[in-house]
Amino acid sequence: GGIGDAGAPRYAVVAGQVNDTGGQPILGALVGVRLPANRTPAGYVAPTANTTDQGSFQVGVYRVDSTVTIATPDTMTVWVIATLPGLPAQGHTDSVQTLLQFVPVAESAQPSNVTLTLSF
């Protein structure tokens, strides 16, 4: 990666685990990433994911706006949020802050790992 990649899309990965309060993995929890308010949302794509039967998930955050000035290191602090679909958010949602490391899409991103705990 050099100065020449400024216009290329870059991405970061957050991976982790969603467990219940007893430490058991939760299947089907919805996990998303909330970007800081001071970023232009149009420049980023952050799809959601559902946890596997092992409670694990992986979400990529993609920067698609090539006009963004790339800082060094290219990082951003985000909130990772997990919730149980169909249940009220109160008491069934957890969030944690983590630091994402963006790399050019041609490279392998090192995931930021987080663990979230949900109660039923």
Side-chain angles (χ1 to χ4, degrees):
I3 308 289
D5 326 314
R10 293 168 74 90
Y11 79 112
V13 175
V14 60
Q17 182 77 21
V18 180
N19 298 322
D20 66 20
T21 51
Q24 296 302 304
I26 295 178
L27 167 66
L30 183 64
V31 181
V33 175
R34 192 172 77 213
L35 303 174
N38 64 350
R39 305 293 175 115
T40 307
Y44 293 88
V45 177
T48 57
N50 287 93
T51 55
T52 68
D53 56 358
Q54 304 296 312
S56 62
F57 68 90
Q58 184 166 307
V59 177
V61 179
Y62 301 88
R63 180 187 295 134
V64 293
D65 183 356
S66 62
T67 63
V68 174
T69 302
I70 295 173
T72 308
D74 189 5
T75 59
M76 178 168 60
T77 300
V78 298
W79 284 98
V80 182
I81 303 167
T83 191
L84 294 169
L87 290 175
Q90 187 64 39
H92 305 289
T93 299
D94 189 23
S95 61
V96 63
Q97 270 192 313
T98 190
L99 185 68
L100 297 183
Q101 175 78 49
F102 285 84
V103 299
V105 290
E107 295 178 20
S108 293
Q110 189 64 40
S112 300
N113 285 291
V114 298
T115 301
L116 300 116
T117 304
L118 299 178
S119 60
F120 283 98

